[in-house]
Amino acid sequence: MIHLTCVSCSRTYKKEKNRYFCDNCGSIFGTLVVKYDYDKIRPMLASFSKTAPMYQFEMLLPVKNYSSVADAVGGTPLLEFDNLLGMDKLYVKNDGMNLSASLKDRASLIAVNLAVEEGYETIFCASTGNAASSLALISASSPLKTVIFVPEKMPAGKLAQLKVAGVKINRISGTYDDAFDQSMTLGFSKHWYCRNSAVNPYLLEGKKTAAYEILVQLDYQVPDYVLVSVGDGTVISAIIKGFEEFKILGLVDKVPTVIGVQAEGASTLKHVFQKGKPYTPIREVVDTIADSISVGYPRDVIKACQFLNRNGGDMISVHDEEIVEAIRDLASMTGVFAEPAGATPLAGLKNMLRSGKIKPHNKVVILVTGNGLKDISAIGG
Amino acid sequence: MIHLTCVSCSRTYKKEKNRYFCDNCGSIFGTLVVKYDYDKIRPMLASFSKTAPMYQFEMLLPVKNYSSVADAVGGTPLLEFDNLLGMDKLYVKNDGMNLSASLKDRASLIAVNLAVEEGYETIFCASTGNAASSLALISASSPLKTVIFVPEKMPAGKLAQLKVAGVKINRISGTYDDAFDQSMTLGFSKHWYCRNSAVNPYLLEGKKTAAYEILVQLDYQVPDYVLVSVGDGTVISAIIKGFEEFKILGLVDKVPTVIGVQAEGASTLKHVFQKGKPYTPIREVVDTIADSISVGYPRDVIKACQFLNRNGGDMISVHDEEIVEAIRDLASMTGVFAEPAGATPLAGLKNMLRSGKIKPHNKVVILVTGNGLKDISAIGG
């Protein structure tokens, strides 16, 4: 019921072990998109719950059986506030309330269960922190061995989650991009299961469920704008894919305008998107307090640009000081304590309200991808 | 539909502003228990959800209207694991997945909404940390001003949550017990709403919903044992009250055996309980890494002892080293990263399995009250 399509050459592949990207186009240009037989799925759709865990969407996911921790992934609240920032309504999707306190659990749950299904013994990933701590905790109760590659600079909370889970940690001297490259070399040579953003097409399948949940929680009333922080480009691709699929399935009649928000000091994907077609991956030196989106060589850049372009989305960036202010705004106005990358969409919203691109009566959702407890250094903790 | 009964003299009071404890018996002996007209409620009971937020139990709660953040409180997962510690099944209720990452949100939601209903402008509490950070984030979107009294020693994560929410923080030189005493003096003189454990009888009403959820999530199959960490005695009282109420309402036919687990260095409530009737509050000097249960003068001691005694429960204690080991065991076996007090019940379970008091075939639930990200010092973070 599933096949994979190359994001650049549209060649299709079947679901099979060790199939991560297109043989023709390689790991950056040839990332794959998972496609389902939507006509077969349409009659299977039942009434979705506003609070159930992510695996309620199993007919739209590539995994057959879920482990015990699945009950702790997804079903995060969409909080609704009146009269914040002069807006009629503001919705906050709080994905810092997953098991490991980030949205990445949605991807890790898919990766761990697929790796078990396909008979792997070891799973690995490179991560700025959240994917690592998520994989460590989600795989803890599985039979898999777990190997994590992380850059030297990693917030204390995320490192603590790794350490306590008892996984093998490879701290790489260098950036996230360096850790990524090293993990690919070692991981593939050892034939370990790869839970790396962008490279593994199934990670989107987990992350897209945040978009499904937003629509279910809004009673299928499509918001005008959804703001999402962007690093590698996988989360925003996944969110747009989720919205598109609910449209394909006839559950909604349009896709909201999705705005990607980057830190000014790490806005590589924005640069590629704004330069326009043909989208060409670049590698930049980056620096931001928002470690989760501190990515200089985004791996899902083609997919993100394509998804954004065909749905009228856009990319913007905000300064680190605006991110810190947004952390405080968000916590003191809504009670949601976000890590820097999690508050970045609020900083973007404030910019767009000031410039008039978003109006106070627009229906806006900001997606908070991680809990502030993971990195308290940004607020002087 | 609600009245209040003194835990010592059984005198009853009606629900009214500023009614916190029994006039005859004072704030320690005269804590109040909230009673409902259960005959009227029984026909109102609908089918409860395993994932819905806490306010699904509104007919058994003292609040009429809930604020926006209510969707982020309760409905935490009960995770089920096979073959851990040689047990057939082990259930982990993960209340570290609330908005502020602790069970205390259940109490703060009640307190904030009652304070608004009753027309207060300011709310206060003294706390070892979790109640403080919970109150700060739950009240952030309310019209209330918030004043928090905390002891000097407070884990970084909990302090960060307070700071970012923008509340007034009074750091008291001394222990939790000192902070508690000072908060009572100032708070009552200013006529602020009191969200202090034990003193405010409605806090139990929030916390008891964790017990309701355990029963709903187990399809009303009553577990043999539920293990809970104990400081002031309010959480364990609330949990037992929740089980008792579902029995009164005919939803289950018995109350599980509840075991309170304290840190060896802060086991005051255990000492009072084991000395037996008449239960006499005492004040001890305490020291443990588990800050949430580092309480030398427990304020809900009478209630906890009475509830435990009439249901066949017991109190045990574990060493700090066992707590640290339990944090690692829990994370590496289940993926649940708990703060020290949150892992304390697992340390207690290991003791009781060793001594044979709990058997591998027993159906056991451990209640994890807070997320490990709040205090990473215990594991060397």
Side-chain angles (χ1 to χ4, degrees), chain B residues 19-52:
Chain B
R19 167 59 57 200
Y20 289 106
F21 47 81
C22 173
D23 295 334
N24 284 347
C25 305
S27 69
I28 294 288
F29 282 97
T31 57
L32 300 174
V33 179
V34 180
K35 299 277 175 79
Y36 300 80
D37 186 339
Y38 298 102
D39 292 333
K40 284 210 175 129
I41 288 172
R42 214 169 277 117
M44 296 164 60
L45 296 172
S47 164
F48 294 119
S49 157
K50 291 183 182 184
T51 58

mmCIF file of all heavy atoms in Angstrom, chain B residues 19-52:
data_model
loop_
_atom_site.group_PDB
_atom_site.id
_atom_site.type_symbol
_atom_site.label_atom_id
_atom_site.label_comp_id
_atom_site.label_asym_id
_atom_site.label_seq_id
_atom_site.Cartn_x
_atom_site.Cartn_y
_atom_site.Cartn_z
ATOM 1 N N ARG B 19 -12.421 29.493 53.511
ATOM 2 C CA ARG B 19 -12.540 28.308 54.376
ATOM 3 C C ARG B 19 -11.453 27.326 53.965
ATOM 4 O O ARG B 19 -11.557 26.655 52.955
ATOM 5 C CB ARG B 19 -13.931 27.680 54.216
ATOM 6 C CG ARG B 19 -14.104 26.276 54.798
ATOM 7 C CD ARG B 19 -13.837 26.192 56.283
ATOM 8 N NE ARG B 19 -14.668 27.102 57.045
ATOM 9 C CZ ARG B 19 -14.376 27.513 58.296
ATOM 10 N NH1 ARG B 19 -13.269 27.082 58.905
ATOM 11 N NH2 ARG B 19 -15.153 28.361 58.923
ATOM 12 N N TYR B 20 -10.389 27.270 54.745
ATOM 13 C CA TYR B 20 -9.275 26.376 54.412
ATOM 14 C C TYR B 20 -9.179 25.183 55.367
ATOM 15 O O TYR B 20 -8.865 24.087 54.961
ATOM 16 C CB TYR B 20 -7.940 27.129 54.420
ATOM 17 C CG TYR B 20 -7.776 28.095 53.279
ATOM 18 C CD1 TYR B 20 -7.865 29.460 53.481
ATOM 19 C CD2 TYR B 20 -7.526 27.639 51.989
ATOM 20 C CE1 TYR B 20 -7.706 30.354 52.432
ATOM 21 C CE2 TYR B 20 -7.377 28.519 50.931
ATOM 22 C CZ TYR B 20 -7.458 29.878 51.159
ATOM 23 O OH TYR B 20 -7.306 30.762 50.123
ATOM 24 N N PHE B 21 -9.401 25.436 56.694
ATOM 25 C CA PHE B 21 -9.268 24.315 57.635
ATOM 26 C C PHE B 21 -10.270 24.473 58.778
ATOM 27 O O PHE B 21 -10.974 25.475 58.863
ATOM 28 C CB PHE B 21 -7.832 24.181 58.156
ATOM 29 C CG PHE B 21 -7.219 25.481 58.602
ATOM 30 C CD1 PHE B 21 -7.502 26.012 59.852
ATOM 31 C CD2 PHE B 21 -6.342 26.182 57.765
ATOM 32 C CE1 PHE B 21 -6.922 27.205 60.263
ATOM 33 C CE2 PHE B 21 -5.767 27.376 58.171
ATOM 34 C CZ PHE B 21 -6.056 27.895 59.415
ATOM 35 N N CYS B 22 -10.312 23.463 59.647
ATOM 36 C CA CYS B 22 -11.294 23.428 60.730
ATOM 37 C C CYS B 22 -10.948 24.445 61.823
ATOM 38 O O CYS B 22 -9.811 24.481 62.291
ATOM 39 C CB CYS B 22 -11.342 22.019 61.313
ATOM 40 S SG CYS B 22 -12.356 21.865 62.799
ATOM 41 N N ASP B 23 -11.914 25.258 62.219
ATOM 42 C CA ASP B 23 -11.676 26.268 63.252
ATOM 43 C C ASP B 23 -11.272 25.625 64.583
ATOM 44 O O ASP B 23 -10.463 26.165 65.325
ATOM 45 C CB ASP B 23 -12.943 27.110 63.482
ATOM 46 C CG ASP B 23 -13.299 27.923 62.243
ATOM 47 O OD1 ASP B 23 -12.398 28.222 61.451
ATOM 48 O OD2 ASP B 23 -14.490 28.230 62.080
ATOM 49 N N ASN B 24 -11.837 24.491 64.882
ATOM 50 C CA ASN B 24 -11.540 23.790 66.138
ATOM 51 C C ASN B 24 -10.122 23.201 66.174
ATOM 52 O O ASN B 24 -9.457 23.252 67.198
ATOM 53 C CB ASN B 24 -12.490 22.603 66.331
ATOM 54 C CG ASN B 24 -13.868 23.037 66.770
ATOM 55 O OD1 ASN B 24 -14.056 24.189 67.158
ATOM 56 N ND2 ASN B 24 -14.820 22.123 66.691
ATOM 57 N N CYS B 25 -9.742 22.601 65.071
ATOM 58 C CA CYS B 25 -8.562 21.719 65.110
ATOM 59 C C CYS B 25 -7.305 22.330 64.497
ATOM 60 O O CYS B 25 -6.218 21.760 64.602
ATOM 61 C CB CYS B 25 -8.886 20.387 64.431
ATOM 62 S SG CYS B 25 -10.333 19.570 65.141
ATOM 63 N N GLY B 26 -7.434 23.479 63.819
ATOM 64 C CA GLY B 26 -6.245 24.149 63.269
ATOM 65 C C GLY B 26 -5.763 23.566 61.952
ATOM 66 O O GLY B 26 -6.345 22.622 61.423
ATOM 67 N N SER B 27 -4.649 24.117 61.465
ATOM 68 C CA SER B 27 -4.253 23.834 60.083
ATOM 69 C C SER B 27 -3.572 22.481 59.891
ATOM 70 O O SER B 27 -3.502 21.980 58.777
ATOM 71 C CB SER B 27 -3.340 24.941 59.550
ATOM 72 O OG SER B 27 -2.094 24.892 60.211
ATOM 73 N N ILE B 28 -3.066 21.887 60.960
ATOM 74 C CA ILE B 28 -2.417 20.578 60.804
ATOM 75 C C ILE B 28 -3.377 19.434 61.163
ATOM 76 O O ILE B 28 -3.580 18.516 60.372
ATOM 77 C CB ILE B 28 -1.146 20.473 61.679
ATOM 78 C CG1 ILE B 28 -0.083 21.456 61.203
ATOM 79 C CG2 ILE B 28 -0.604 19.050 61.674
ATOM 80 C CD1 ILE B 28 0.580 21.095 59.894
ATOM 81 N N PHE B 29 -4.007 19.541 62.339
ATOM 82 C CA PHE B 29 -4.964 18.500 62.741
ATOM 83 C C PHE B 29 -6.299 18.661 62.012
ATOM 84 O O PHE B 29 -7.041 17.697 61.861
ATOM 85 C CB PHE B 29 -5.194 18.543 64.253
ATOM 86 C CG PHE B 29 -4.089 17.914 65.046
ATOM 87 C CD1 PHE B 29 -3.069 18.691 65.594
ATOM 88 C CD2 PHE B 29 -4.052 16.544 65.244
ATOM 89 C CE1 PHE B 29 -2.044 18.116 66.310
ATOM 90 C CE2 PHE B 29 -3.023 15.953 65.972
ATOM 91 C CZ PHE B 29 -2.005 16.738 66.507
ATOM 92 N N GLY B 30 -6.585 19.864 61.580
ATOM 93 C CA GLY B 30 -7.921 20.135 61.047
ATOM 94 C C GLY B 30 -7.988 20.322 59.550
ATOM 95 O O GLY B 30 -8.811 21.100 59.058
ATOM 96 N N THR B 31 -7.145 19.609 58.804
ATOM 97 C CA THR B 31 -7.292 19.666 57.342
ATOM 98 C C THR B 31 -8.656 19.098 56.966
ATOM 99 O O THR B 31 -9.209 18.252 57.670
ATOM 100 C CB THR B 31 -6.184 18.858 56.632
ATOM 101 O OG1 THR B 31 -6.217 17.512 57.091
ATOM 102 C CG2 THR B 31 -4.811 19.456 56.901
ATOM 103 N N LEU B 32 -9.185 19.584 55.863
ATOM 104 C CA LEU B 32 -10.547 19.245 55.481
ATOM 105 C C LEU B 32 -10.567 18.298 54.284
ATOM 106 O O LEU B 32 -9.694 18.349 53.425
ATOM 107 C CB LEU B 32 -11.316 20.520 55.134
ATOM 108 C CG LEU B 32 -11.423 21.552 56.268
ATOM 109 C CD1 LEU B 32 -12.085 22.841 55.750
ATOM 110 C CD2 LEU B 32 -12.207 20.992 57.456
ATOM 111 N N VAL B 33 -11.585 17.456 54.260
ATOM 112 C CA VAL B 33 -11.797 16.548 53.130
ATOM 113 C C VAL B 33 -13.050 17.007 52.377
ATOM 114 O O VAL B 33 -14.083 17.248 53.003
ATOM 115 C CB VAL B 33 -11.982 15.091 53.604
ATOM 116 C CG1 VAL B 33 -12.237 14.161 52.416
ATOM 117 C CG2 VAL B 33 -10.757 14.625 54.393
ATOM 118 N N VAL B 34 -12.955 17.132 51.082
ATOM 119 C CA VAL B 34 -14.092 17.556 50.261
ATOM 120 C C VAL B 34 -14.996 16.359 49.999
ATOM 121 O O VAL B 34 -14.536 15.316 49.532
ATOM 122 C CB VAL B 34 -13.601 18.148 48.923
ATOM 123 C CG1 VAL B 34 -14.794 18.596 48.071
ATOM 124 C CG2 VAL B 34 -12.640 19.307 49.170
ATOM 125 N N LYS B 35 -16.268 16.527 50.306
ATOM 126 C CA LYS B 35 -17.235 15.440 50.066
ATOM 127 C C LYS B 35 -18.291 15.910 49.070
ATOM 128 O O LYS B 35 -18.702 17.069 49.088
ATOM 129 C CB LYS B 35 -17.929 15.046 51.388
ATOM 130 C CG LYS B 35 -16.985 14.520 52.464
ATOM 131 C CD LYS B 35 -16.684 13.047 52.263
ATOM 132 C CE LYS B 35 -15.644 12.525 53.254
ATOM 133 N NZ LYS B 35 -16.167 12.237 54.594
ATOM 134 N N TYR B 36 -18.748 14.998 48.252
ATOM 135 C CA TYR B 36 -19.771 15.310 47.256
ATOM 136 C C TYR B 36 -21.039 14.528 47.594
ATOM 137 O O TYR B 36 -21.022 13.609 48.411
ATOM 138 C CB TYR B 36 -19.287 14.912 45.858
ATOM 139 C CG TYR B 36 -18.024 15.616 45.432
ATOM 140 C CD1 TYR B 36 -16.781 15.178 45.872
ATOM 141 C CD2 TYR B 36 -18.070 16.728 44.605
ATOM 142 C CE1 TYR B 36 -15.616 15.834 45.504
ATOM 143 C CE2 TYR B 36 -16.905 17.390 44.227
ATOM 144 C CZ TYR B 36 -15.677 16.936 44.679
ATOM 145 O OH TYR B 36 -14.533 17.589 44.323
ATOM 146 N N ASP B 37 -22.119 14.895 46.942
ATOM 147 C CA ASP B 37 -23.332 14.100 47.057
ATOM 148 C C ASP B 37 -23.249 13.000 45.997
ATOM 149 O O ASP B 37 -23.686 13.166 44.862
ATOM 150 C CB ASP B 37 -24.546 15.011 46.831
ATOM 151 C CG ASP B 37 -25.845 14.263 47.084
ATOM 152 O OD1 ASP B 37 -25.833 13.006 47.034
ATOM 153 O OD2 ASP B 37 -26.867 14.919 47.340
ATOM 154 N N TYR B 38 -22.642 11.894 46.413
ATOM 155 C CA TYR B 38 -22.333 10.845 45.437
ATOM 156 C C TYR B 38 -23.590 10.236 44.813
ATOM 157 O O TYR B 38 -23.562 9.793 43.672
ATOM 158 C CB TYR B 38 -21.445 9.773 46.086
ATOM 159 C CG TYR B 38 -20.113 10.334 46.555
ATOM 160 C CD1 TYR B 38 -19.870 10.616 47.898
ATOM 161 C CD2 TYR B 38 -19.112 10.637 45.638
ATOM 162 C CE1 TYR B 38 -18.674 11.172 48.320
ATOM 163 C CE2 TYR B 38 -17.910 11.198 46.044
ATOM 164 C CZ TYR B 38 -17.699 11.463 47.388
ATOM 165 O OH TYR B 38 -16.516 12.023 47.791
ATOM 166 N N ASP B 39 -24.697 10.232 45.577
ATOM 167 C CA ASP B 39 -25.932 9.689 44.998
ATOM 168 C C ASP B 39 -26.402 10.525 43.820
ATOM 169 O O ASP B 39 -26.968 10.005 42.860
ATOM 170 C CB ASP B 39 -27.031 9.631 46.073
ATOM 171 C CG ASP B 39 -26.703 8.590 47.141
ATOM 172 O OD1 ASP B 39 -25.982 7.632 46.818
ATOM 173 O OD2 ASP B 39 -27.154 8.758 48.294
ATOM 174 N N LYS B 40 -26.188 11.827 43.907
ATOM 175 C CA LYS B 40 -26.587 12.705 42.787
ATOM 176 C C LYS B 40 -25.628 12.573 41.605
ATOM 177 O O LYS B 40 -26.004 12.786 40.463
ATOM 178 C CB LYS B 40 -26.605 14.170 43.256
ATOM 179 C CG LYS B 40 -27.819 14.521 44.097
ATOM 180 C CD LYS B 40 -28.208 15.987 43.935
ATOM 181 C CE LYS B 40 -29.501 16.284 44.692
ATOM 182 N NZ LYS B 40 -29.369 17.442 45.566
ATOM 183 N N ILE B 41 -24.368 12.264 41.914
ATOM 184 C CA ILE B 41 -23.365 12.207 40.843
ATOM 185 C C ILE B 41 -23.464 10.899 40.057
ATOM 186 O O ILE B 41 -23.252 10.872 38.842
ATOM 187 C CB ILE B 41 -21.946 12.356 41.450
ATOM 188 C CG1 ILE B 41 -21.750 13.817 41.908
ATOM 189 C CG2 ILE B 41 -20.870 11.958 40.446
ATOM 190 C CD1 ILE B 41 -20.478 14.053 42.681
ATOM 191 N N ARG B 42 -23.837 9.819 40.757
ATOM 192 C CA ARG B 42 -23.826 8.497 40.121
ATOM 193 C C ARG B 42 -24.556 8.465 38.764
ATOM 194 O O ARG B 42 -24.006 7.965 37.787
ATOM 195 C CB ARG B 42 -24.408 7.453 41.112
ATOM 196 C CG ARG B 42 -23.753 6.097 40.992
ATOM 197 C CD ARG B 42 -24.136 5.160 42.122
ATOM 198 N NE ARG B 42 -23.350 5.334 43.329
ATOM 199 C CZ ARG B 42 -23.821 5.713 44.518
ATOM 200 N NH1 ARG B 42 -25.119 5.955 44.659
ATOM 201 N NH2 ARG B 42 -23.030 5.842 45.555
ATOM 202 N N PRO B 43 -25.751 9.057 38.688
ATOM 203 C CA PRO B 43 -26.425 9.030 37.374
ATOM 204 C C PRO B 43 -25.778 9.936 36.327
ATOM 205 O O PRO B 43 -26.083 9.827 35.137
ATOM 206 C CB PRO B 43 -27.841 9.552 37.694
ATOM 207 C CG PRO B 43 -27.954 9.594 39.176
ATOM 208 C CD PRO B 43 -26.584 9.665 39.738
ATOM 209 N N MET B 44 -24.870 10.849 36.759
ATOM 210 C CA MET B 44 -24.242 11.779 35.816
ATOM 211 C C MET B 44 -22.996 11.178 35.160
ATOM 212 O O MET B 44 -22.425 11.766 34.237
ATOM 213 C CB MET B 44 -23.800 13.065 36.545
ATOM 214 C CG MET B 44 -24.936 13.880 37.134
ATOM 215 S SD MET B 44 -24.317 15.085 38.365
ATOM 216 C CE MET B 44 -23.200 16.053 37.354
ATOM 217 N N LEU B 45 -22.563 10.025 35.664
ATOM 218 C CA LEU B 45 -21.313 9.443 35.168
ATOM 219 C C LEU B 45 -21.482 8.955 33.740
ATOM 220 O O LEU B 45 -22.365 8.163 33.442
ATOM 221 C CB LEU B 45 -20.888 8.269 36.053
ATOM 222 C CG LEU B 45 -20.541 8.621 37.494
ATOM 223 C CD1 LEU B 45 -20.323 7.345 38.299
ATOM 224 C CD2 LEU B 45 -19.317 9.514 37.567
ATOM 225 N N ALA B 46 -20.641 9.460 32.864
ATOM 226 C CA ALA B 46 -20.645 8.989 31.485
ATOM 227 C C ALA B 46 -19.443 8.061 31.308
ATOM 228 O O ALA B 46 -18.775 7.700 32.268
ATOM 229 C CB ALA B 46 -20.563 10.168 30.541
ATOM 230 N N SER B 47 -19.202 7.677 30.108
ATOM 231 C CA SER B 47 -18.041 6.850 29.823
ATOM 232 C C SER B 47 -16.800 7.750 29.760
ATOM 233 O O SER B 47 -16.783 8.732 29.022
ATOM 234 C CB SER B 47 -18.286 6.159 28.479
ATOM 235 O OG SER B 47 -17.105 5.635 27.970
ATOM 236 N N PHE B 48 -15.805 7.427 30.552
ATOM 237 C CA PHE B 48 -14.610 8.271 30.593
ATOM 238 C C PHE B 48 -13.602 7.829 29.533
ATOM 239 O O PHE B 48 -13.519 6.656 29.181
ATOM 240 C CB PHE B 48 -13.957 8.211 31.980
ATOM 241 C CG PHE B 48 -14.808 8.805 33.064
ATOM 242 C CD1 PHE B 48 -15.233 8.037 34.139
ATOM 243 C CD2 PHE B 48 -15.186 10.145 33.019
ATOM 244 C CE1 PHE B 48 -16.022 8.585 35.151
ATOM 245 C CE2 PHE B 48 -15.968 10.701 34.010
ATOM 246 C CZ PHE B 48 -16.389 9.917 35.083
ATOM 247 N N SER B 49 -12.830 8.800 29.062
ATOM 248 C CA SER B 49 -11.801 8.546 28.053
ATOM 249 C C SER B 49 -10.474 8.212 28.725
ATOM 250 O O SER B 49 -10.160 8.720 29.802
ATOM 251 C CB SER B 49 -11.650 9.794 27.179
ATOM 252 O OG SER B 49 -10.380 9.829 26.573
ATOM 253 N N LYS B 50 -9.665 7.388 28.046
ATOM 254 C CA LYS B 50 -8.339 7.055 28.586
ATOM 255 C C LYS B 50 -7.310 8.142 28.326
ATOM 256 O O LYS B 50 -6.185 8.064 28.826
ATOM 257 C CB LYS B 50 -7.837 5.746 27.962
ATOM 258 C CG LYS B 50 -8.625 4.533 28.408
ATOM 259 C CD LYS B 50 -8.046 3.245 27.824
ATOM 260 C CE LYS B 50 -8.904 2.066 28.276
ATOM 261 N NZ LYS B 50 -8.374 0.781 27.829
ATOM 262 N N THR B 51 -7.668 9.119 27.501
ATOM 263 C CA THR B 51 -6.669 10.123 27.116
ATOM 264 C C THR B 51 -7.138 11.567 27.315
ATOM 265 O O THR B 51 -6.354 12.490 27.104
ATOM 266 C CB THR B 51 -6.277 9.954 25.630
ATOM 267 O OG1 THR B 51 -7.449 10.075 24.825
ATOM 268 C CG2 THR B 51 -5.622 8.609 25.387
ATOM 269 N N ALA B 52 -8.375 11.761 27.711
ATOM 270 C CA ALA B 52 -8.899 13.133 27.813
ATOM 271 C C ALA B 52 -8.256 13.883 28.976
ATOM 272 O O ALA B 52 -7.797 13.275 29.945
ATOM 273 C CB ALA B 52 -10.409 13.095 27.994
#
